[in-house]
Amino acid sequence: MLKSGTPLVEQIITEHVVDADGPVTPGRLVTVRPDRVYVQDGNAPTIARLYEQHGFSTVFEPKRVSFVFDHSVLVANIDMADRMKDADAFAARLGVDVRARGQGISHVIAAELGWFSPGALVLGSDSHTCVGGAFGALGLGMGASDIVAAMVTGTTWLRVPETVEVRFTGVPTRAARPRDVLLTLLREQGQEPFLYRSVEFTGDWVRSLSADASASLASLGVELGAKCVFVPDEQGEIPTGTASELARIDFDISGLQPTVALPHLPARTVPLDEAAGTPISYVFLGSCTNSRLEDIAEAATVVRGHQVHAGTQFVVTPGSNDVYRAAMRAGYIDALLAAGAVVTPAGCGACVGTQGPLPARGENVLSTMNRNFQGRMGNPEANIYLSSPLVAAATALRGAVPTVEDIP
């Protein structure tokens, strides 16, 4: 049972530690038993090769190991199709739980299926597994070798991270969203205070966030450089560690405006008005940061009764099949389609460039995803800007980044 007074990461590790000789303290190397391990299709072939190289053929418990096919739902070329075929066959040989193409993004599914439950320890072969902290779980993204070891043995090792509390004070402006807050924090603080640390977000503002908004905030934790993050739920039922020895950063968000991250780093975030007027020919709403029902609802509200700019492509990719169906029932998909948006099957979509639509050379893209590294969407000659779904939808209508006054 999670409790106040001790950093959450230490509480959860203590409940999962194997070598319990002594207290769990920052800096200590420990072996733990995860509650679940999940693999995404992008690195499944690498994991399969490691299995073959080391002569492995089983997993510690098939029901607790999942393969999620989310990065290449609409396979773009023959080589990728062959990779996905091999990944399918590998998962079948292992007899593990499989979430097929079109079911959604691994991290979104993990929340929907309850893999991210309070106090759980979950490993994922994707860096944004940190989104589990929005649900009280310790979500750890790991590389292929560590994931293979956990799949085979049911254990993994890690160094217990120190904890830093980020206490938000004040309230941002009406049009600002959680990602605006976090990317502003990154711009002003840099990664140094957060590297390989557990970050606990506190304060009245963060406690007021919906589940979807909390997930958006948590998914960007790895962009801070954090090992993991924790966001209390809107009822405040997930306590935060309040030990007096915690490092703490007070961050005043009073009056904080919507933002845009300029190419090619999330930390190059500026207030919206500083980027206003930048022509945009491709808007992408999706990714594990902003593809949930609340995000799609907001975009649909903005575009309803209007038309996407003639020179702009607006692509919307729901985070899961459940999100897609809920958005259909609520009329959001119809509103988006009527406005001229393209709605794709659920999954990661265009985020990592392993499937289309790819941006053209020299094209300016505005995306709601987590990263805008050069080449992130499959074309190093495209320029990727980042924003919230609210700003993205307004951009799709104007064909250019709007001002704060232009936001509905």
Side-chain angles (χ1 to χ4, degrees):
M1 179 68 179
L2 300 178
K3 58 185 183 300
S4 295
T6 303
L8 286 175
V9 68
E10 295 176 31
Q11 293 185 51
I12 295 174
I13 289 174
T14 297
E15 292 298 317
H16 292 81
V17 75
V18 175
D19 57 336
D21 183 20
V24 170
T25 54
R28 182 183 171 196
L29 297 178
V30 296
T31 300
V32 294
R33 296 189 186 279
D35 295 297
R36 179 167 294 273
V37 179
Y38 65 83
V39 175
Q40 48 98 335
D41 56 336
N43 46 35
T46 302
I47 289 170
R49 285 196 298 272
L50 289 170
Y51 256 73
E52 182 178 359
Q53 290 171 10
H54 295 283
F56 300 142
S57 60
T58 61
V59 298
F60 73 100
E61 189 174 332
K63 291 182 179 179
R64 291 166 60 192
V65 178
S66 298
F67 275 46
V68 184
F69 289 81
D70 56 1
H71 279 58
S72 298
V73 176
L74 301 175
V75 182
N77 58 60
I78 295 171
D79 289 340
M80 186 61 68
D82 288 343
R83 284 170 59 87
M84 294 303 98
K85 179 181 177 181
D86 291 344
D88 271 324
F90 177 51
R93 288 197 301 273
L94 294 178
V96 297
D97 172 61
V98 174
R99 302 292 156 171
R101 297 166 185 79
Q103 290 193 34
I105 302 171
S106 59
H107 316 306
V108 178
I109 291 175
E112 293 175 348
L113 297 178
W115 299 349
F116 290 146
S117 58
L121 196 161
V122 180
L123 309 182
S125 69
D126 186 282
S127 61
H128 292 99
T129 308
C130 58
V131 72
F135 307 93
L138 173 54
L140 300 174
M142 292 186 170
S145 297
D146 286 326
I147 289 295
V148 167
M151 289 170 62
V152 173
T153 68
T155 63
T156 191
W157 70 273
L158 55 89
R159 176 167 62 85
V160 180
E162 297 175 338
T163 295
V164 57
E165 175 188 1
V166 175
R167 185 175 68 178
F168 295 111
T169 58
V171 179
T173 61
R174 173 192 60 82
R177 296 296 178 263
R179 66 176 299 132
D180 299 317
V181 170
L182 189 134
L183 292 182
T184 301
L185 175 68
L186 173 61
R187 181 191 69 204
E188 295 192 9
Q189 296 287 331
Q191 290 186 324
E192 182 60 31
F194 311 109
L195 286 176
Y196 202 90
R197 287 181 169 88
S198 173
V199 180
E200 296 189 8
F201 297 114
T202 65
D204 291 340
W205 170 77
V206 76
R207 287 188 179 276
S208 72
L209 298 178
S210 67
D212 285 357
S214 293
S216 177
L217 184 71
S219 74
L220 290 162
V222 69
E223 272 60 60
L224 283 178
K227 179 66 173 176
C228 56
V229 298
F230 293 98
V231 184
D233 67 11
E234 53 193 322
Q235 287 78 39
E237 293 175 354
I238 299 173
T240 55
T242 56
S244 59
E245 67 270 18
L246 293 187
R248 191 176 77 193
I249 295 173
D250 290 316
F251 194 67
D252 187 3
I253 58 174
S254 300
L256 187 140
Q257 296 284 340
T259 65
V260 168
L262 308 178
H264 296 282
L265 285 173
R268 292 193 68 209
T269 293
V270 298
L272 178 62
D273 283 351
E274 291 187 23
T278 303
I280 301 292
S281 53
Y282 181 174
V283 175
F284 172 60
L285 194 161
S287 90
C288 55
T289 301
N290 282 116
S291 63
R292 295 169 179 82
L293 186 62
E294 188 174 279
D295 305 315
I296 294 174
E298 187 160 61
T301 299
V302 171
V303 304
R304 182 175 278 113
H306 303 284
Q307 285 294 304
V308 170
H309 187 270
T312 301
Q313 177 181 213
F314 186 23
V315 178
V316 178
T317 301
S320 75
N321 195 36
D322 284 353
V323 169
Y324 200 151
R325 295 173 68 187
M328 289 179 63
R329 290 193 296 270
Y332 305 145
I333 300 299
D334 185 66
L336 289 164
L337 293 174
V342 175
V343 182
T344 77
C348 296
C351 181
V352 292
T354 55
Q355 59 184 353
L358 300 178
R361 293 182 178 89
E363 190 166 33
N364 287 342
V365 181
L366 186 79
S367 171
T368 68
M369 60 200 192
N370 31 57
R371 294 172 180 162
N372 60 340
F373 301 154
Q374 190 169 12
R376 174 70 179 180
M377 296 179 73
N379 186 348
E381 297 182 51
N383 304 304
I384 305 172
Y385 297 75
L386 303 178
S387 81
S388 70
L390 178 63
V391 171
T395 300
L397 295 182
R398 297 179 63 83
V401 176
T403 65
V404 172
E405 291 184 355
D406 294 327
I407 299 296

